[in-house]
């Protein structure tokens, strides 16, 4: 079992967030920051589109040969003096990590930001077993203090504002002067830096994720801006990398191609500040670095996605561009999605990993505007895959209540003109295209309760919001 | 059945393969052997002077500070001057790198410490292996010469970069690394560093000096 999910309660989660209003306010900056910066970065590189195509090819090739690259990779890690552990599911990954920590008598573990350790629920597990995990990415640290999960895959605390963070620091850092001035953002950063510096130096084990694993050299790569992932891995005796099997790329040249897309799509940087390639434990003569290097390779449902209609999702490099551009995400934030991965990528991935019974609502969280796919550096057809899920759900008649909830969900967006208008301005064209000139849809997002009984007219140059209002009265 | 076997079996079942296919294995070995280059942006395909100019422009674009030196002999004074200008104690730490150790530090009043950092140094000095002009990225390799802790623990990271070591892009770096370590081999840590440490986690405002150095100062040696 992975980290507990509330994805089945998606609609209620979302409504709560909207009623509260804080998240949507805090997320305003997402629109300006991430979106504008990504556009600028992409336009600044004339080869950007060609690189997207090539990155997609690289990943498709890798996935088609994943078993073989994993074998090559494993052999190289061992050759470099590292250890490779395979974990079928979350429970096994947790257990392996705990055993490694216990062997060295670890009391505290520092952690670089890692969605995979979130997925397997590592922190709670270590804690239950008497080991203190310390998140060191500033955003992750903040949400750990609050007992929350990340609401965004690269900006975990994006749903919070400065005042909320200040009050958390005051609540937890009780060893510091209660009258200290924390009005400036930089004083919050400095305080966290000081508190975490001690933790870095005291940690027995450092756990990071991996953005990529390189088969050619047995190397793991992390990409950060803070440098926390580096302090996490070079200071303790043991470095554990926890990564899912699809992080594989063949060669150093291949990863160079994809790195050009990652930072640009994520934060609009040309390169993140730190891109770190780690291969095995410290070498003879090295004066610093970890004595042990372990890689825990997690499957947790991914091998079953290969060869099927959701294989393309395994190209994902977790850049977050899809959620940064998602009007639904902007409205409800990441927590409402109820599990680890929010936004469009989560809506596709979560049902694959935790099952359609649990996460079947998520693929409805789309206005079909198509922006996620248009910005996805790996060209993952996210809307199409969400549609696949909806079709499956519909075919299975999973449960009639869900279908009704689907309609309710559509209504939920239809009644929010700002959000809906935003989505449909772009969505109109796309939907008209999707109906391929037939002028009618056989199935529609959120509206399977409706389209079960009648085809839905494709937009013919006007939003169907007005029409919905009218029809709603008659149903 | 071990978990390893379970996962491999599951991958192969999903894809309808056995792992024994000659063609699939050949495709993989061929890619690993040839390491095809893909698309190289034209941006950094320049002559040496052009690369250097781009490198400096990009470094400044990521809030690093840059200084050109006519020869390596000028490094000690430049370090002393940097520390003074930033109100730092006259103390610097570097690794075993001969290119740094052989410099005449005696002509400065600096305290020169050697070896990795334990977190108490305000400033450290490293020698870069190379740099990527395309993005203003420094390349540093772990080892006794330039211990990795120097890149991350001090508040100020000073880096010596030979102008002739500046390359255009990542793809031109790899042959150099393979020559140095062997095909398929890597140092324990290869750091790409593009500017000083930063975080955007508080209301998405970019603030410098998150966990790594607050300042990155690059001394480019032309001689
Ligand atoms: S689906 Fe695409 S856009 Fe979304 S996180 Fe993955 S790679 Fe990025």
């Amino acid at each position: 079992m992975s980290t507990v999910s509330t994805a089945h309660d998606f609609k209620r989660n979302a409504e709560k967030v909207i009623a509260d209003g804080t998240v949507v306010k805090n997320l305003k900056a997402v629109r300006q920051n991430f979106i504008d910066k990504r556009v600028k970065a992409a336009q600044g590189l004339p080869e950007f589109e060609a690189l997207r195509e090539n990155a997609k090819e690289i990943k498709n090739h890798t996935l088609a040969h994943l078993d073989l690259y994993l074998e090559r990779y494993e052999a190289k890690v061992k050759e470099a003096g590292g250890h490779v552990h395979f974990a079928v599911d979350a429970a096994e990954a947790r257990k392996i990590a705990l055993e490694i920590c216990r062997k060295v008598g670890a009391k505290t573990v520092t952690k670089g930001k890692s969605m995979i350790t979130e997925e397997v629920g590592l922190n709670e597990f270590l804690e239950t077993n008497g080991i203190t995990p310390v998140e060191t990415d500033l955003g992750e640290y903040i949400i750990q203090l609050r007992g929350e999960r990340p609401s965004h895959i690269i900006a975990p605390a994006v749903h919070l504002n400065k005042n909320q963070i200040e009050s958390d620091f005051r609540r937890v850092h009780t060893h510091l002067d209660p009258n200290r001035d924390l009005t400036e953002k930089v004083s919050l950063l400095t305080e966290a830096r000081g508190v975490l510096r001690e933790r870095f130096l005291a940690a027995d084990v450092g756990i990071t994720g991996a953005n990529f694993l390189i088969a050619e050299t047995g190397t793991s790569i992390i990409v950060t801006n803070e440098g926390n992932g580096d302090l996490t891995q070079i200071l303790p005796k043991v470095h554990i990398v926890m990564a899912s099997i699809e992080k594989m790329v063949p060669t150093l040249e291949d990863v160079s191609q994809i790195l050009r897309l990652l930072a640009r799509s994520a934060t609009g940087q040309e390169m993140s500040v730190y891109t770190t390639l780690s291969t095995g434990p410290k070498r003879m003569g090295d004066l610093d670095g970890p004595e042990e290097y372990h890689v825990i390779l997690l499957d947790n449902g991914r091998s079953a996605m290969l060869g099927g209609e959701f294989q393309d999702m395994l190209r994902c490099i977790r850049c977050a561009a899809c959620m940064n551009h998602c009007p639904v995400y902007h409205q409800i934030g990441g927590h409402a999605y109820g599990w680890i991965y929010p936004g469009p990528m989560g809506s596709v991935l979560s049902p694959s990993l935790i099952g359609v019974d649990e996460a079947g609502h998520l693929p409805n969280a789309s206005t079909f505007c198509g922006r996620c796919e248009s910005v996805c550096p790996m060209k993952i057809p996210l809307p199409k895959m969400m549609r696949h899920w909806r079709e499956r759900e519909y075919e299975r008649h999973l449960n009639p209540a869900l279908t009704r909830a689907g309609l309710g969900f559509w209504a939920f967006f239809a009644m929010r003109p700002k959000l809906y208008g935003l989505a449909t301005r772009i969505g109109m064209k796309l939907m008209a295209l999707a109906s391929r000139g037939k002028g009618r849809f056989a199935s529609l997002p959120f509206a399977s309760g409706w389209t079960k009984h009648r085809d839905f007219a494709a937009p013919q140059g006007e939003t169907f919001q007005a029409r919905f209002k009218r029809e709603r009265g008659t149903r | 059945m071990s978990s390893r076997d379970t996962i491999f079996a599951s991958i192969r079942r999903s894809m309808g393969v056995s792992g024994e296919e000659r063609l699939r294995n050949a495709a993989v070995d061929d890619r690993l052997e040839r390491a095809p280059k893909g698309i190289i942006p034209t941006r950094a395909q320049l002559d040496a002077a052009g690369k250097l100019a781009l490198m400096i422009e990009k470094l400044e674009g990521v809030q690093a500070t840059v200084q050109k030196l006519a020869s390596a002999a000028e490094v000690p004074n430049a370090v002393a001057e940097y520390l003074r200008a930033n109100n730092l104690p006259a103390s610097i730490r570097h690794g075993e790198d001969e290119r740094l150790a052989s410099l005449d530090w005696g002509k400065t009043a600096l305290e020169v410490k050697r070896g990795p950092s334990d977190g108490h140094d305000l400033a450290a000095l490293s020698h870069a292996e190379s740099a990527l002009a395309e993005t203003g990225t420094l390349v540093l390799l772990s080892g006794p010469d330039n211990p990795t802790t120097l890149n991350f623990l001090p508040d100020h990271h000073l880096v010596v970069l030979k102008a002739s070591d500046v390359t255009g892009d990542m793809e031109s770096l790899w042959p150099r690394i393979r020559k140095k370590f062997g095909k398929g081999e890597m140092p324990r840590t290869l750091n790409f560093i593009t500017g000083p440490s930063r975080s955007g986690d508080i209301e998405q405002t970019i603030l410098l000096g998150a966990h790594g150095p607050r300042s990155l100062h690059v001394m480019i040696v032309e001689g």
Side-chain angles (χ1 to χ4, degrees):
Chain A
M1 183 59 209
S2 307
T3 286
V4 181
S5 156
T6 62
H8 55 273
D9 243 351
F10 180 44
K11 189 173 166 250
R12 207 164 336 150
N13 294 346
E15 275 173 346
K16 250 193 275 174
V17 174
I18 292 190
D20 175 67
T22 319
V23 166
V24 73
K25 227 167 58 216
N26 292 350
L27 287 180
K28 269 213 175 90
V30 167
R31 274 157 270 174
Q32 295 140 19
N33 281 330
F34 286 118
I35 294 178
D36 296 351
K37 287 182 183 166
R38 192 206 74 93
V39 167
K40 238 179 105 194
Q43 286 172 351
L45 187 69
E47 294 86 356
F48 192 79
E49 283 309 309
L51 280 161
R52 282 177 77 190
E53 196 53 47
N54 194 38
K56 173 182 159 185
E57 287 309 312
I58 289 170
K59 244 355 208 179
N60 282 348
H61 165 84
T62 313
L63 292 172
H65 301 84
L66 187 60
D67 52 332
L68 304 176
Y69 281 119
L70 277 168
E71 282 177 352
R72 273 35 167 206
Y73 168 79
E74 182 191 20
K76 288 307 286 190
V77 176
K78 287 184 178 166
E79 223 179 83
H83 305 270
V84 181
H85 313 261
F86 287 86
V88 172
D89 57 20
E92 192 175 13
R94 291 192 297 254
K95 207 176 104 234
I96 295 167
L98 178 65
E99 271 165 24
I100 299 169
C101 292
R102 282 207 168 135
K103 251 210 218 129
V104 294
K107 291 195 180 60
T108 61
V109 167
T110 40
K111 290 185 65 218
K113 207 186 107 46
S114 146
M115 291 308 296
I116 291 296
T117 62
E118 297 282 351
E119 179 181 325
V120 305
L122 185 63
N123 286 1
E124 299 78 358
F125 184 72
L126 290 178
E127 242 160 339
T128 319
N129 286 282
I131 294 171
T132 309
V134 182
E135 292 290 350
T136 62
D137 170 85
L138 179 59
E140 285 281 341
Y141 176 68
I142 292 165
I143 61 160
Q144 190 184 27
L145 295 184
R146 299 172 63 90
E148 290 181 356
R149 285 184 201 156
S151 71
H152 187 281
I153 59 173
I154 65 160
V158 73
H159 59 291
L160 299 171
N161 60 45
K162 196 189 71 166
N163 297 340
Q164 293 171 299
I165 298 167
E166 174 178 346
S167 64
D168 288 320
F169 280 18
R170 290 198 187 278
R171 177 172 55 79
V172 179
H173 302 159
T174 48
H175 61 294
L176 300 173
D177 178 5
N179 297 318
R180 66 194 185 280
D181 183 5
L182 288 176
T183 40
E184 294 297 318
K185 290 174 191 169
V186 71
S187 48
L188 293 169
L189 177 80
T190 308
E191 178 162 317
R193 179 183 168 110
V195 170
L196 285 167
R197 188 49 78 91
E198 288 160 35
R199 304 299 212 127
F200 278 124
L201 294 166
D204 306 295
V205 172
I207 303 181
T208 67
N211 293 83
F212 304 98
L213 303 170
I214 306 177
E216 177 193 0
T217 52
T219 298
S220 57
I221 299 193
I222 58 165
V223 176
T224 76
N225 275 320
E226 299 184 4
N228 63 307
D230 291 279
L231 292 173
T232 296
Q233 66 172 276
I234 54 176
L235 296 174
K237 287 190 289 278
V238 178
H239 177 198
I240 301 176
V241 178
M242 196 182 281
S244 49
I245 52 175
E246 84 282 8
K247 296 286 166 214
M248 193 63 54
V249 284
T251 65
L252 293 164
E253 275 75 3
D254 290 327
V255 86
S256 309
Q257 297 281 297
I258 305 176
L259 280 170
R260 285 198 180 87
L261 300 171
L262 176 56
R264 286 181 173 88
S265 302
T267 53
Q269 290 165 288
E270 295 195 323
M271 272 288 266
S272 300
V273 176
Y274 302 113
T275 299
T276 299
L277 285 70
S278 310
T279 314
K282 74 195 233 185
R283 308 289 165 81
M284 266 233 289
D286 276 1
L287 305 170
D288 51 20
E291 279 150 35
E292 289 178 33
Y293 174 79
H294 297 264
V295 184
I296 302 173
L297 289 175
L298 175 72
D299 182 347
N300 212 25
R302 287 160 176 86
S303 58
M305 292 167 70
L306 287 163
E309 57 191 328
F310 299 105
Q311 169 170 318
D312 287 347
M313 194 59 222
L314 297 175
R315 290 203 300 266
C316 175
I317 55 171
R318 306 285 189 269
C319 73
C322 55
M323 60 199 74
N324 290 341
H325 290 75
C326 177
V328 178
Y329 180 90
H330 287 169
Q331 207 68 14
I332 64 176
H335 286 156
Y337 291 80
W339 197 51
I340 301 302
Y341 301 105
M345 59 79 68
S347 296
V348 175
L349 189 60
S350 300
S352 296
L353 299 186
I354 55 174
V356 72
D357 287 349
E358 175 61 33
H361 283 314
L362 299 183
N364 292 319
S366 161
T367 61
F368 253 158
C369 70
R371 278 203 272 174
C372 51
E373 182 176 1
S374 73
V375 296
C376 173
M378 304 307 287
K379 295 197 153 190
I380 299 171
L382 294 156
K384 187 180 97 188
M385 289 196 290
M386 283 189 251
R387 202 158 45 227
H388 281 328
W389 276 124
R390 276 195 289 260
E391 280 159 10
R392 276 201 191 181
E393 178 191 305
Y394 176 70
E395 279 160 23
R396 285 171 42 160
H397 287 289
L398 195 59
N399 94 47
L402 194 75
T403 320
R404 281 199 302 275
L407 177 59
F409 204 80
W410 180 68
F412 167 84
F413 285 105
M415 295 317 285
R416 281 165 181 77
K418 234 172 100 190
L419 167 63
Y420 206 81
L422 189 73
T424 44
R425 269 205 305 283
I426 302 151
M428 291 268 282
K429 260 194 235 151
L430 207 93
M431 290 173 76
L433 210 74
S435 70
R436 289 197 197 87
K438 290 194 293 274
R440 307 197 82 72
F441 287 106
S443 81
L444 199 77
F446 328 125
S448 51
W450 183 329
T451 52
K452 200 155 72 173
H453 305 294
R454 76 203 78 174
D455 276 2
F456 193 92
Q460 310 283 355
E462 55 146 357
T463 74
F464 46 74
Q465 207 167 348
R467 174 176 171 154
F468 172 73
K469 276 188 185 149
R470 200 170 64 234
E471 299 266 346
R472 189 164 139 273
T474 66
R475 288 193 93 234
Chain B
M1 198 153 141
S2 71
S3 298
R4 184 187 183 282
D5 294 345
T6 307
I7 292 172
F8 276 97
S10 171
I11 293 173
R12 287 172 174 149
R13 194 179 333 111
S14 290
M15 303 198 310
V17 298
S18 71
E20 305 294 325
E21 298 84 359
R22 206 180 46 80
L23 273 178
R24 289 177 75 242
N25 275 279
V28 162
D29 291 331
D30 177 66
R31 187 166 195 106
L32 294 177
E33 181 54 39
R34 277 192 310 115
K37 269 194 173 184
I39 292 147
I40 314 292
T42 53
R43 178 196 288 181
Q45 296 182 24
L46 304 163
D47 62 7
K51 278 187 197 128
L52 184 61
L54 180 62
M55 182 71 204
I56 292 169
E57 178 198 323
K58 290 290 171 188
L59 276 170
E60 286 170 345
V62 293
Q63 289 81 38
T65 49
V66 190
Q67 178 179 20
K68 280 204 217 175
L69 301 177
S71 81
E74 293 181 10
V75 167
N77 279 336
V79 170
E81 180 48 42
Y82 177 89
L83 297 176
R84 216 174 13 249
N86 287 279
N87 291 321
L88 292 164
S91 172
I92 191 79
R93 177 181 288 281
H94 65 73
E96 302 299 324
D97 198 313
E98 260 312 301
R99 293 169 294 183
L100 302 176
S102 64
L103 297 172
D104 181 10
W105 294 97
K107 68 180 177 187
T108 67
L110 292 179
E111 175 196 22
V112 180
K113 294 185 267 185
R114 298 273 282 265
S117 179
D118 62 359
H120 293 99
D121 307 292
L122 284 174
L125 178 68
S126 305
H127 202 297
E129 167 71 16
S130 178
L132 317 178
E134 182 184 346
T135 46
T137 300
L138 299 169
V139 182
L140 288 119
L141 307 181
S142 63
D145 282 358
N146 293 287
T148 306
T149 40
L150 301 189
N151 305 346
F152 294 98
L153 284 170
D155 276 16
H156 294 257
H157 190 207
L158 289 74
V159 179
V160 176
L161 169 67
K162 271 168 53 186
S164 56
D165 286 337
V166 175
T167 178
D169 41 65
M170 223 177 255
E171 283 83 350
S172 355
L173 172 73
W174 302 128
R176 180 182 173 126
I177 297 295
R178 289 188 184 114
K179 205 165 142 206
K180 194 167 177 135
F181 295 91
K183 167 89 176 104
E185 309 298 317
M186 290 285 279
R188 149 62 202 172
T189 310
L190 185 151
N191 290 120
F192 287 118
I193 298 180
T194 313
S197 159
R198 67 199 63 195
S199 174
D201 277 344
I202 302 171
E203 294 183 350
Q204 298 171 69
T205 307
I206 305 293
L207 303 168
L208 295 186
H211 291 294
R214 301 169 200 265
S215 307
L216 177 68
H217 184 65
V218 184
M219 289 166 282
I220 299 179
V221 174
E222 295 193 272

